[in-house]
Structure formats: structure tokens, C-alpha cells
């Protein structure tokens, strides 16, 4: 049997009420009780309150901005009607999943998130193994997201340069240097300016909201003649050549899924949030609703002013939404201002993604789920930050970005893990709570309770997540080239095989799972 003594226990001091801790921060009595029940030592400063964590998740998710950036995949596979209706369906399906995870977050508000919930709520016989696999998927899913998001951001910057300087010839190494520069600035914000992060999140939320109007209104008022609602909502296309319009629309589901992922990020900041068991579910649900609605409004508007898709795809900027902006406002200055909003918001999203990925790594290391767990799990005693996990996340992203210099295909292969990994972690954790309800097993006390609708919501969320998980592995066309192939299944399978082998060889000897630290009588 693995050692079930928590790595943090040996460092524990005492705080009021006799609960172990290394710091006395802004924890409420309920926060202390939750940490005590879960057998965790409070080590991070609780700098966040509801509004700042709400801003954090809104900015990381930033649905309307992301949808503009990735909607091309859905427009090719589905047309305007397909991308709109598939977005609506994806929003509903993921909202059920967010409701389920919000309830689990209310029961166990921990930075570990999904792998912790699996450890607590899965059937006893599979708790340790399943939570270990989910932990690896969550850690690597968030880690590869850092260079992937930076890559999209760097492409936007290059597109803006091309718009204003058509003679500029982009090179792969230019893109890589931009990615490293973005990562470095965001790393500084996550360390030296960390105490100001809650304030910055609030300001970013204001820009996210104001920027929505600053982009939407020009498209409405200055854009080309709007297409009829009937044409936009009911024009479907099989641009990928699947031979079936319905299948083509489903293949395009990757666009809305990518833009709607993220409300669970608040969970991975749970131990830095005051009154976490109450604030977490509220922030997750509010984020999903508001970002989902704003994304839908922006997507419909974008389709209304899109014009000819083929000409937009051939834009010299290589960024279709920049071309749509130019077609709408006809001014380089106006397009530059609108695109700068997108770039600033994407940069804020990178800051939050680095924070989230480092906390997920730190939490899993605290439970001895990764090699060199003791080093990754260290927290700076004065700053109250997992600096080692932050530094490792930065270095990992920089190393991955260097691959792009040699081959963009290889870079895309390695960074394609994120969506599938997160969806499967959602599905497994939601499935565990559904099984508990089916077996009529008691659930933990919680401030957010799905009540009698709980089982229906749980089952709907698992069904949707499993279906979507399968669809995200489809390539954009039936017979893709090497460059167009969707390599997610290869990378995902490799991670699963590696984590299983590591579990058999070493993990089962060291990893007990969070459930073993839980105080049953608390």
C-alpha cells in the first residue's frame, strides 16, 4: 500500500480552531472546515473573492473572442446554420456538465478539481486508478494549453502586422519568439505581480465586456448589408466533403467546444478563493451563462456580416476575422483597434491559463501523482505561491514552442491533447457522481444542490461529454493530409498509455489518492 501521509502534513502549523495550516490568510471558518475534512494543509493565500474569481473564469474562457478566432472550422463543416445550431447544442450540453461540476465543487472545493472528485466519488475499487489517470490527463491538458493559446495569439499579432505592412513575410521562428515573449510577460504577472492579480482580473472583465460592445456595434452598424436571418440560420454546408451535411455539422462541433471550455478553471484556484464552497459554483455557473450568451450573439452577428466564406479564407492576413473586420469598417485604424482588443484579451487569457495549469500540477504533485512530486509541490513560504510549478509550466511551454521552428505539424500534434483530455476528465468525474446517485449513496453536504434533477442532469452531461469526446477526434476532411490530420487521438492515447504504465511501475506505490487523506468523521 502507498504511504497515505499527506506531503503537506509534516509542514503543518496551527491556526485558530485547531486546524492545520502554514499560513493564516483570508480563510472563512467554512474554508477551514473544508480543508480539514479533505486532509489538506492550507498553503496558498486566499486573495480572490467572488467577483475577482468570476472575472478570472470569464477572461480565461472568453467565449466571444475565441469563437471569432476558431469559427472557421465550424463554418467549413456546417456552414452558418451549422455553426450556430451546433453552438447552441454544445452550450446546452456543456451547461449540464458545468452544473454537475459546480455541485461537486461545492462539496469538495479543492485545487485538485476533477481528479480529486473522482478519488472521492468513484466506486471504492477504482478510486485510486481512475483518479490517477484523470490527474495526468488534467495536468497535461492544461499544460499544453499554454503554448497552444499563445500560438493563436501570436498568429493574431502577425495578422495585424501583415494588415498594416503587406510586405512583411512571416517566418516560423518569428511566431516562436512571439510565443516566448508572451509567455514571459504572463509569467511575470503570475509571480512578481501576483498580489495585484485579482484587481487585474476585475479590470480585464471590464475590458471583456466593453470590448464585446466595441466589436459588436461596428459590425452591426458599419458592416456590409446583413444577410437574412433565414439564410444565416438555415444555410448548411458540407465543406469538408463528408457526404452528409448532418455529420459535417457534428464534425464542426470542435469550434464551439473549444470556445466554451474553461468555467472549471475556477476550481483550480479554489484554495486561493475566500468562501470557496459557495463562491465556486456561483462563479462557474455565471461564467458559463454570460460567456455562452455573449458568444452566441457574437457568432450570429459574425455570420450575418461574413459574406463570401472562400474570399475570407484567402485573406493575406491569414486570420479570417481580421478580414471580416476590414470588410465591415473599411478602415485600417478601426480594424487595428478592434484586433488589439482581441489581442489584449487573449493575453489576459494566457495569464489565467498559466495560473490554472500550474495549480493543477501543484495539486497533483501534492498528492504524489507525478515524478519529483516533492519539488513540484513546494510553496514559497512568503509569497504563498507554487513557484516551482509555475516555473515548470513556463519552461514546458517554451520548450514546446521551440518545436514550431522545425515543424508546425509536430507542434500541432503535441498541443492537440487539451480538448480531449479536459472533456474526458469532465466525463469521468460527472460519471462518478451519477453512479453515486444511481446507487442511492449519500452525498456530502453542499451549498449548491441540484436536488431531484441531479441524476437527470448528471446523466445528460455524461452522455453529451462522451459523444463530444468522440467527435473531437475527427479530422476536418475524410481523407486529410499530414498537415490537416487531427492528431488528438494519437497524443491522447500516448498519454493514457504512459500514465497507465507509470501507475503500474511506480504510481501505485506512491499515489494513494486524495480520498485517503479525507477525515471521514469531519
Amino acid at each position: 500500500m502507498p504511504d497515505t501521509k499527506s506531503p503537506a502534513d509534516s509542514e503543518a502549523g496551527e491556526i485558530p480552531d485547531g486546524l492545520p495550516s502554514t499560513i493564516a490568510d483570508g480563510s472563512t471558518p467554512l474554508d477551514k472546515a473544508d480543508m480539514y475534512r479533505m486532509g489538506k494543509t492550507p498553503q496558498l493565500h486566499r486573495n480572490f473573492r467572488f467577483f475577482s474569481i468570476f472575472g478570472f473564469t470569464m477572461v480565461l474562457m472568453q467565449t466571444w473572442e475565441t469563437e471569432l478566432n476558431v469559427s472557421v472550422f465550424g463554418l467549413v463543416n456546417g456552414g452558418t446554420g451549422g455553426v450556430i445550431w451546433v453552438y447552441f447544442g454544445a452550450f446546452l450540453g456543456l451547461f449540464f456538465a458545468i452544473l454537475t461540476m459546480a455541485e461537486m465543487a461545492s462539496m469538495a472545493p479543492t485545487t485538485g478539481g476533477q481528479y480529486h472528485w473522482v478519488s472521492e466519488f468513484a466506486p471504492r475499487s477504482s478510486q485510486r486508478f481512475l483518479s490517477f489517470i484523470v490527474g495526468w490527463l488534467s495536468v497535461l491538458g492544461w499544460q499544453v494549453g499554454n503554448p497552444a493559446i499563445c500560438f493563436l495569439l501570436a498568429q493574431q499579432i502577425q495578422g495585424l502586422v501583415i494588415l498594416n505592412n503587406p510586405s512583411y513575410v512571416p517566418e516560423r521562428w518569428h511566431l516562436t519568439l512571439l510565443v516566448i515573449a508572451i509567455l514571459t510577460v504572463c509569467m511575470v504577472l503570475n509571480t512578481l505581480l501576483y498580489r495585484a492579480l485579482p484587481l487585474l482580473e476585475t479590470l480585464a472583465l471590464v475590458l471583456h465586456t466593453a470590448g464585446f460592445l466595441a466589436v459588436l456595434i461596428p459590425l452591426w452598424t458599419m458592416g456590409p448589408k446583413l444577410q437574412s436571418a433565414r439564410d444565416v440560420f438555415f444555410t448548411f454546408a458540407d465543406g469538408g466533403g463528408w457526404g452528409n451535411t448532418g455529420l459535417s455539422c457534428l464534425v464542426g462541433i470542435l469550434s464551439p467546444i473549444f470556445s466554451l471550455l474553461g468555467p472549471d478553471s475556477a476550481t483550480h484556484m479554489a484554495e486561493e478563493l475566500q468562501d470557496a464552497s459557495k463562491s465556486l459554483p456561483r462563479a462557474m455557473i455565471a461564467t458559463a451563462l454570460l460567456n455562452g450568451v455573449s458568444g452566441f450573439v457574437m457568432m450570429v452577428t459574425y455570420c450575418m456580416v461574413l459574406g463570401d466564406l472562400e474570399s475570407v479564407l484567402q485573406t493575406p492576413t491569414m486570420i479570417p476575422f481580421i478580414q471580416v473586420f476590414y470588410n465591415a469598417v473599411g478602415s485600417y485604424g478601426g480594424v487595428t483597434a478592434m484586433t488589439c482588443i482581441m489581442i489584449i484579451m487573449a493575453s489576459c487569457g494566457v495569464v489565467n491559463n498559466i495560473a490554472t495549469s500550474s495549480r493543477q500540477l501543484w495539486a497533483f504533485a501534492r498528492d504524489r501523482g507525478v515524478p519529483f512530486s516533492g519539488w513540484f509541490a513546494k510553496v514559497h513560504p512568503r509569497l504563498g505561491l507554487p513557484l516551482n510549478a509555475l516555473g515548470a509550466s513556463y519552461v514546458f511551454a517554451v520548450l514546446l514552442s521551440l518545436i514550431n521552428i522545425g515543424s508546425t505539424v509536430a507542434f500541432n500534434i503535441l498541443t492537440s491533447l487539451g480538448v480531449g483530455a479536459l472533456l474526458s476528465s469532465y466525463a469521468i468525474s460527472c460519471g462518478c457522481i451519477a453512479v453515486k446517485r444511481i446507487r442511492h449513496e449519500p452525498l456530502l453536504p453542499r451549498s449548491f444542490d441540484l436536488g431531484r434533477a441531479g441524476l437527470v442532469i448528471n446523466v445528460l452531461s455524461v452522455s453529451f461529454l462522451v459523444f463530444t469526446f468522440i467527435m473531437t477526434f475527427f479530422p476536418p476532411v475524410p481523407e486529410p493530409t499530414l498537415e490537416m490530420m487531427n492528431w488528438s487521438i494519437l497524443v491522447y492515447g500516448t498519454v493514457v498509455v504512459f500514465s497507465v504504465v507509470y501507475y503500474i511501475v511506480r504510481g501505485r506505490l506512491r499515489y494513494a489518492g486524495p480520498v485517503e487523506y479525507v477525515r471521514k468523521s469531519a
Side-chain angles (χ1 to χ4, degrees):
M1 286 291 292
D3 181 8
T4 57
K5 179 179 174 61
S6 172
D9 286 347
S10 61
E11 304 171 7
E14 292 291 327
I15 60 175
D17 302 327
L19 305 183
S21 180
T22 57
I23 57 173
D25 61 352
S27 298
T28 66
L30 189 56
D31 291 327
K32 297 175 186 177
D34 285 331
M35 294 294 285
Y36 182 75
R37 184 197 69 80
M38 293 184 291
K40 300 301 183 188
T41 301
Q43 294 176 278
L44 307 179
H45 293 288
R46 293 187 183 266
N47 292 328
F48 286 85
R49 304 295 184 266
F50 168 76
F51 198 74
S52 54
I53 201 66
F54 170 63
F56 181 95
T57 51
M58 285 285 287
V59 170
L60 185 145
M61 188 178 174
Q62 51 182 265
T63 300
W64 71 261
E65 297 96 329
T66 306
E67 189 63 23
L68 287 178
N69 204 23
V70 302
S71 60
V72 170
F73 188 79
L75 288 167
V76 171
N77 281 291
T80 57
V83 78
I84 289 173
W85 290 110
V86 169
Y87 178 97
F88 182 73
F91 167 72
L92 289 180
L94 277 177
F95 188 65
F96 288 132
I98 295 302
L99 288 174
T100 298
M101 290 191 288
E103 186 180 45
M104 289 189 285
S106 184
M107 293 187 229
T110 167
T111 298
Q114 290 92 307
Y115 86 85
H116 181 106
W117 300 334
V118 171
S119 180
E120 277 214 66
F121 304 139
R124 182 68 182 174
S125 60
S126 57
Q127 284 175 336
R128 186 151 58 110
F129 175 72
L130 275 182
S131 68
F132 187 83
I133 302 302
V134 169
W136 269 96
L137 289 171
S138 297
V139 167
L140 290 179
W142 279 106
Q143 288 293 331
V144 300
N146 292 325
I149 296 172
C150 286
F151 189 80
L152 292 174
L153 171 54
Q155 286 180 317
Q156 292 180 39
I157 296 173
Q158 280 193 329
L160 190 58
V161 172
I162 293 171
L163 176 74
N164 290 279
N165 181 16
S167 63
Y168 168 67
V169 180
E171 301 284 350
R172 284 201 298 266
W173 64 270
H174 296 174
L175 203 62
T176 296
L177 288 179
L178 279 172
V179 168
I180 294 174
I182 294 164
L183 285 167
T184 302
V185 172
C186 293
M187 183 65 178
V188 170
L189 290 171
N190 266 293
T191 50
L192 300 181
L193 298 178
Y194 170 70
R195 291 300 180 89
L197 201 55
L199 174 61
L200 295 176
E201 298 301 341
T202 302
L203 295 176
L205 177 60
V206 173
L207 178 60
H208 172 71
T209 305
F212 173 74
L213 297 175
V215 171
L216 189 73
I217 293 174
L219 292 179
W220 276 351
T221 59
M222 302 176 67
K225 183 179 179 181
L226 298 179
Q227 301 181 58
S228 70
R230 181 179 181 83
D231 288 341
V232 169
F233 278 83
F234 297 102
T235 297
F236 301 91
D238 178 18
W242 291 95
N244 184 289
T245 303
L247 175 59
S248 184
C249 291
L250 293 177
V251 170
I253 199 172
L254 184 60
S255 289
I257 289 297
F258 188 77
S259 66
L260 290 166
L261 286 179
D264 65 299
S265 60
T267 300
H268 306 300
M269 305 296 288
E271 294 172 39
E272 295 163 77
L273 171 64
Q274 190 179 78
D275 209 8
S277 62
K278 294 181 180 179
S279 297
L280 267 181
R282 290 165 54 204
M284 293 168 68
I285 294 169
T287 299
L289 282 173
L290 294 179
N291 259 335
V293 171
S294 63
F296 184 78
V297 172
M298 184 62 75
M299 192 70 258
V300 171
T301 301
Y302 188 72
C303 291
M304 286 278 191
V305 301
L306 179 64
D308 179 57
L309 178 60
E310 288 301 320
S311 64
V312 169
L313 293 177
Q314 298 302 319
T315 174
T317 68
M318 298 181 289
I319 305 295
F321 77 76
I322 293 181
Q323 185 63 48
V324 173
F325 286 175
Y326 182 76
N327 294 344
V329 302
S331 162
Y332 287 113
V335 175
T336 298
M338 294 166 72
T339 306
C340 280
I341 292 173
M342 301 282 291
I343 290 172
I344 293 171
M345 289 311 307
S347 301
C348 295
V350 175
V351 173
N352 295 0
N353 207 87
I354 290 176
T356 300
S357 61
S358 64
R359 298 327 188 266
Q360 179 72 95
L361 172 60
W362 169 77
F364 199 42
R366 179 178 58 179
D367 286 320
R368 300 176 179 175
V370 296
F372 311 108
S373 292
W375 188 82
F376 286 121
K378 285 185 178 179
V379 174
H380 192 281
R382 182 173 60 85
L383 297 177
L385 280 175
L387 286 183
N388 291 354
L390 273 164
S393 300
Y394 170 76
V395 171
F396 182 75
V398 169
L399 292 176
L400 277 185
S401 70
L402 294 176
I403 296 172
N404 179 65
I405 296 177
S407 171
T408 300
V409 174
F411 174 80
N412 290 335
I413 289 173
L414 291 174
T415 57
S416 62
L417 170 68
V419 175
L422 292 180
L423 286 175
S424 58
S425 73
Y426 293 177
I428 294 172
S429 57
C430 292
C432 290
I433 203 71
V435 169
K436 285 188 76 71
R437 278 196 159 100
I438 291 171
R439 293 181 173 182
H440 301 289
E441 297 176 3
L443 301 179
L444 294 172
R446 53 209 178 274
S447 61
F448 176 69
D449 188 352
L450 292 177
R452 294 182 179 180
L455 181 58
V456 174
I457 292 174
N458 297 160
V459 171
L460 286 173
S461 65
V462 173
S463 301
F464 174 79
L465 289 168
V466 170
F467 170 77
T468 307
F469 171 73
I470 295 171
M471 294 306 304
T472 55
F473 291 133
F474 275 64
V477 294
E479 298 179 2
T481 62
L482 185 66
E483 290 79 8
M484 294 184 67
M485 179 60 188
N486 183 347
W487 295 100
S488 301
I489 186 64
L490 173 63
V491 181
Y492 183 90
T494 301
V495 169
V496 171
V497 170
F498 171 81
S499 58
V500 170
V501 171
Y502 182 72
Y503 177 82
I504 294 171
V505 173
R506 187 165 175 78
R508 63 188 177 87
L509 304 176
R510 303 180 71 250
Y511 179 78
V515 70
E516 296 299 330
Y517 308 136
V518 170
R519 292 174 170 89
K520 311 298 182 187
S521 60

